[in-house]
Amino acid sequence: IMFLSRAANGSHLRMAQSVTPLQRLKFNNVALKKLPLDSSLEPGSRTVTGACFSRVQPQPLLKPTFVAVSEPALALLGLNTDDVLRDRHGAEYLSGSRVIPGSEPAAHCYCGHQFGHFAGQLGDGAVCYLGEVEVEAGAEQSSNPISTSPCGRWEIQVKGAGLTPYSRQSDGRKVLRSSIREFLCSEAMFALGIPTTRAGSLVTSDLYVQRDVFYSGNPRPERCSVVLRIAPTFIRFGSFEIFHPVDDFTGRHGPSVGRTDIRAQLLDYVIDTFYPEIQRRHLDRQERNASFFREVTMRTAKLVALWQSVGFCHGVLNTDNMSILGLTIDYGPFGFMDRFDPEFVSNASDKKGRYSYEAQPYVCRWNLARLAEALGAELQSAKAGAILDEFMTIYQDCYLAIMRRKLGLLRQQEPEDVELVADLLKTMHITGADFTNTFRLLSAVSCPAGEQKDRDRTDSVVELIVEQCASLEELKVANHPLEMILSMAETNPGMFNMVANQPEVAKQLEKIGRLKELLVISEVELKIKQRDHWQRWVKQYRRRLAHECDEVSDPAAVEKERVRSMNATNPAVVLRNYIAQNAIEAAERGDFSEVQQLLKVLENPYSVSPDLERPVWSAGSESDQADGNSIKGQEVKENTKRKAAADTHQIPYNSKPPAWARTICVT
């Protein structure tokens, strides 16, 4: 008996030792317990009524393999890189190809206003909720609020794991190209200090689907890939729109219209789980709900202010892409501005510019109004209106505070700062200056000291900024007005005069004026004009900096702190489209090293390291060496093309984009 007991104990010990960290993840899938769940596994797309989630069965990939993993994101789950890479089923688990013990695959039902119109049922068409991982006390080491979960759990999803009831006409798959962009940008935004969902891993496969990238009738096969997404929750504004009545314009309605009981259930779950301090503070339901809406409004205003401060354009700010927690969510045709342009549109499909850079604050407020409508009787309309009226003030105050930090204005807050920022952006726009690099260079502008020394330093900084300005040809293209405006002015002057004062037409007239100037000057003359513009603004800026040193005993210490703060606020590198494109092209040839290298650079966006200065491509680099057993060394194909790419795309990560970058089209 003793022998058998020892043998059994030994067997249990071996079993415990053989269980991997991924298999030991502690799931507590509260959303599926507290919210209505559609248990049908009926195949195909369908309308799902009376439910917030639907059970699904992820479809496995063929030979899943890791492209890259994010150590900081995996740490949220109590995992490290080795835990994942050494698990022989790691790529299967984190792509939905094998079910992690304790997970319960499901898809979330939501609706949305897309490009201003109610679209009816949407839902997770390519995303699969795996479950909610409980984190042990102390596992979340960071005091950073965007690194913690208010409920002590992290929802994990796999994006691209196959069909769900919400897939509509799609196949539920995502390809390597779009998955690389989402994986890298999720982690880049976190490193920039911007609230965001996270990406723990990126897996690709030998399964292919056909994709027509530019909707040109020329589809090509692309590798199916999956991103592991992490957030406290992925509930969004559109989650509350499943109760939307018949829309007057589109004729569509939410699948659970009239189910006020489920709406109350969903609202209670969100507030109690993710806003517990609001739940504790209010006994009155209406007061609680108004406090919740005010908090969502504040978070959204602060989020979009952060986007604007780094030149980030989301691309598809539909209500179904707005997080109820104020996180950046659903990375699709996003883009970071290169040349500053208020009308910058990152999504080539957004022909009317609804989601342009300058429109983002207004669109976010519009989306909040749709959320208020979706809450219906749960939120008094008068209170909702009053809260919405606060949005632009909150946004502007937050934006100005960030811009002061970006300019190193730390000690004083002066009314003229608003004009200083406006003049800076106007100068950037007129000269076509690179948004990221110009802000980074401004820390080299010094507070006034010795006259000759100051002049020399100022001139050198201005020269560096002028190098970041657009060429004559680029500005001609940027200032080309809409053909419709030109045609109306020529063929129907009367009609043109009637609309000439409208804001959109006024913008086009400004472009016409700038274009006329550009057509009669040379490149050399343009550079002189750009230099003059920047010398005027830098002179204005230095006068303001002088006020920072008023009545201080140690001006040198103040100056040192200003430079430190500016370099910690103005990134040296962001995920520009051309940088992402280089990583995509390499990965599509089977070389994942550029994705991994770029991830390391993006994890430290405010530091200038050797990795940052190194060319994006370098012929004969280590990435040419294949190591089939390593995440770094998947089989490299088409080495001759690799060499050609290296010759073409050699450029540091923090460089002003090359001319070919302007041809990149993201839809």
Side-chain angles (χ1 to χ4, degrees):
I1 292 171
M2 287 176 64
F3 173 79
L4 290 173
S5 176
R6 289 195 189 102
N9 287 338
S11 174
H12 290 154
L13 181 61
R14 285 193 298 273
M15 287 177 62
Q17 290 173 338
S18 65
V19 176
T20 68
L22 278 171
Q23 294 168 338
R24 285 198 296 269
L25 287 175
K26 186 179 179 182
F27 283 92
N28 183 10
N29 308 321
V30 177
L32 302 190
K33 299 171 186 175
K34 292 195 172 183
L35 296 174
L37 175 63
D38 163 38
S39 295
S40 171
L41 292 175
E42 177 188 344
S45 298
R46 54 191 169 83
T47 300
V48 176
T49 61
C52 296
F53 286 90
S54 298
R55 291 204 183 276
V56 297
Q57 295 176 319
Q59 287 92 55
L61 296 174
L62 178 63
K63 295 181 180 178
T65 184
F66 282 113
V67 175
V69 297
S70 168
E71 178 110 28
L74 291 174
L76 299 174
L77 309 177
L79 298 170
N80 61 46
T81 302
D82 287 343
D83 291 338
V84 170
L85 299 183
R86 290 178 180 174
D87 190 322
R88 64 192 183 97
H89 298 306
E92 295 174 84
Y93 282 139
L94 298 188
S95 65
S97 301
R98 180 184 291 260
V99 177
I100 305 173
S103 66
E104 298 180 78
H108 181 38
C109 181
Y110 53 82
C111 294
H113 280 78
Q114 298 192 321
F115 288 87
H117 303 296
F118 185 68
Q121 178 179 292
L122 300 170
D124 287 337
V127 169
C128 175
Y129 161 106
L130 293 183
E132 298 158 56
V133 177
E134 285 192 333
V135 181
E136 293 181 10
E140 294 177 339
Q141 298 295 328
S142 175
S143 59
N144 187 338
I146 65 175
S147 298
T148 57
S149 173
C151 62
R153 298 185 304 279
W154 291 97
E155 179 181 327
I156 59 173
Q157 300 184 336
V158 281
K159 184 172 181 177
L163 292 167
T164 78
Y166 312 106
S167 296
R168 291 169 285 169
Q169 304 302 314
S170 75
D171 52 23
R173 295 297 188 184
K174 295 296 177 181
V175 296
L176 187 56
R177 166 176 44 87
S178 60
S179 299
I180 286 173
R181 285 172 54 84
E182 171 141 13
F183 174 77
L184 290 174
C185 200
S186 299
E187 294 307 282
M189 292 290 272
F190 171 74
L192 288 168
I194 298 174
T196 178
T197 59
R198 304 294 298 280
S201 64
L202 170 57
V203 173
T204 193
S205 71
D206 286 349
L207 182 66
Y208 286 79
V209 289
Q210 294 287 323
R211 288 291 185 268
D212 187 352
V213 183
F214 303 114
Y215 308 107
S216 60
N218 298 301
R220 65 181 177 93
E222 297 192 59
R223 298 173 79 174
C224 292
S225 304
V226 172
V227 174
L228 177 76
R229 306 203 303 181
I230 306 169
T233 183
F234 286 83
I235 290 175
R236 59 218 43 221
F237 290 11
S239 304
F240 289 91
E241 292 189 289
I242 63 173
F243 316 106
H244 195 288
V246 175
D247 187 79
D248 291 338
F249 185 79
T250 65
R252 294 172 178 161
H253 59 80
S256 295
V257 60
R259 293 298 304 270
T260 56
D261 57 326
I262 298 178
R263 182 176 64 194
Q265 192 177 351
L266 176 60
L267 184 59
D268 288 345
Y269 169 74
V270 167
I271 296 175
D272 186 50
T273 307
F274 306 109
Y275 295 90
E277 69 289 347
I278 292 177
Q279 182 70 33
R280 288 191 298 267
R281 202 162 57 233
H282 297 283
L283 296 177
D284 180 81
R285 185 177 184 84
Q286 283 290 335
E287 289 298 324
R288 182 202 67 166
N289 296 348
S291 181
F292 159 72
F293 184 67
R294 178 176 286 105
E295 181 64 24
V296 175
T297 298
M298 288 181 63
R299 291 190 187 191
T300 303
K302 292 176 180 177
L303 177 68
V304 71
L306 286 165
W307 288 351
Q308 303 300 91
S309 74
V310 295
F312 175 79
C313 197
H314 184 281
V316 198
L317 275 180
N318 300 325
T319 56
D320 54 294
N321 293 333
M322 298 285 294
S323 163
I324 205 69
L325 297 185
L327 307 175
T328 315
I329 190 173
D330 289 347
Y331 292 92
F334 66 85
F336 285 88
M337 263 195 306
D338 296 324
R339 172 182 54 79
F340 178 71
D341 180 4
E343 298 179 50
F344 171 65
V345 175
S346 61
N347 180 3
S349 305
D350 184 7
K351 302 300 184 184
K352 295 184 178 179
R354 176 180 175 83
Y355 298 140
S356 68
Y357 170 79
E358 66 180 351
Q360 289 186 134
Y362 304 97
V363 169
C364 285
R365 187 196 179 282
W366 190 90
N367 288 340
L368 283 161
R370 304 291 77 73
L371 173 61
E373 289 175 356
L375 293 174
E378 293 285 354
L379 180 65
Q380 294 175 2
S381 59
K383 286 190 176 180
I387 293 168
L388 287 169
D389 287 343
E390 299 171 11
F391 177 86
M392 289 309 297
T393 299
I394 297 170
Y395 161 74
Q396 289 164 355
D397 288 348
C398 186
Y399 177 75
L400 181 58
I402 297 170
M403 297 305 280
R404 282 189 173 116
R405 291 199 299 273
K406 289 175 76 70
L407 294 177
L409 308 179
L410 309 177
R411 301 185 71 251
Q412 315 244 7
Q413 295 183 9
E414 300 188 1
E416 67 192 52
D417 294 344
V418 175
E419 183 181 355
L420 180 69
V421 171
D423 288 346
L424 168 61
L425 297 180
K426 183 178 179 180
T427 303
M428 293 177 78
H429 189 203
I430 291 171
T431 63
D434 185 89
F435 186 83
T436 301
N437 291 352
T438 300
F439 270 110
R440 186 72 181 186
L441 285 168
L442 290 180
S443 64
V445 176
S446 61
C447 283
E451 186 175 341
Q452 184 58 47
K453 182 180 179 182
D454 283 352
R455 186 181 299 114
D456 293 343
R457 281 193 68 178
T458 300
D459 288 347
S460 64
V461 174
V462 167
E463 288 305 315
L464 291 173
I465 294 175
V466 170
E467 289 177 11
Q468 298 298 323
C469 293
S471 67
L472 181 60
E473 191 57 38
E474 187 178 356
L475 286 176
K476 285 179 181 178
V477 173
N479 285 286
H480 199 281
L482 293 174
E483 294 294 340
M484 178 184 68
I485 299 296
L486 296 175
S487 176
M488 185 187 299
E490 292 175 1
T491 61
N492 195 339
M495 176 65 74
F496 180 78
N497 289 332
M498 290 174 62
V499 300
N501 291 327
Q502 292 186 9
E504 184 54 43
V505 177
K507 283 183 185 177
Q508 299 304 316
L509 292 176
E510 285 181 21
K511 285 187 174 183
I512 292 172
R514 286 198 293 267
L515 183 59
K516 285 180 178 178
E517 292 179 11
L518 294 168
L519 290 172
V520 296
I521 64 172
S522 66
E523 190 76 47
V524 173
E525 290 170 322
L526 174 65
K527 289 302 172 187
I528 292 171
K529 283 179 173 288
Q530 290 173 333
R531 188 175 295 107
D532 289 343
H533 281 299
W534 279 107
Q535 284 174 338
R536 279 195 295 272
W537 185 84
V538 168
K539 185 177 180 180
Q540 178 186 1
Y541 177 42
R542 294 183 74 246
R543 284 198 301 269
R544 174 61 180 85
L545 287 179
H547 296 178
E548 291 290 297
C549 296
D550 287 346
E551 300 179 3
V552 297
S553 58
D554 190 353
V558 172
E559 177 75 349
K560 184 177 180 181
E561 174 57 20
R562 178 184 71 85
V563 172
R564 186 206 63 76
S565 177
M566 290 180 71
N567 287 338
T569 308
N570 296 312
V573 61
V574 293
L575 184 60
R576 300 176 189 261
N577 276 340
Y578 84 92
I579 297 175
Q581 187 62 28
N582 278 326
I584 290 166
E585 290 177 11
E588 288 182 335
R589 291 191 299 272
D591 176 7
F592 305 148
S593 64
E594 185 58 32
V595 176
Q596 297 147 24
Q597 174 65 29
L598 181 51
L599 176 62
K600 290 179 182 177
V601 170
L602 294 170
E603 286 175 342
N604 297 284
Y606 298 104
S607 63
V608 178
S609 65
D611 287 337
L612 181 64
E613 299 289 353
R614 125 199 202 292
V616 171
W617 293 106
S618 55
S621 68
E622 290 182 6
S623 57
D624 282 331
Q625 306 302 316
D627 172 8
N629 297 318
S630 167
I631 189 172
K632 294 181 179 178
Q634 310 303 331
E635 184 180 358
V636 180
K637 301 176 182 179
E638 303 181 48
N639 282 327
T640 55
K641 290 184 180 179
R642 176 77 170 78
K643 177 67 167 64
D647 293 339
T648 305
H649 294 178
Q650 277 200 349
I651 185 167
Y653 292 113
N654 62 343
S655 171
K656 178 186 172 185
W660 60 264
R662 297 196 292 274
T663 66
I664 296 172
C665 177
V666 183
T667 60

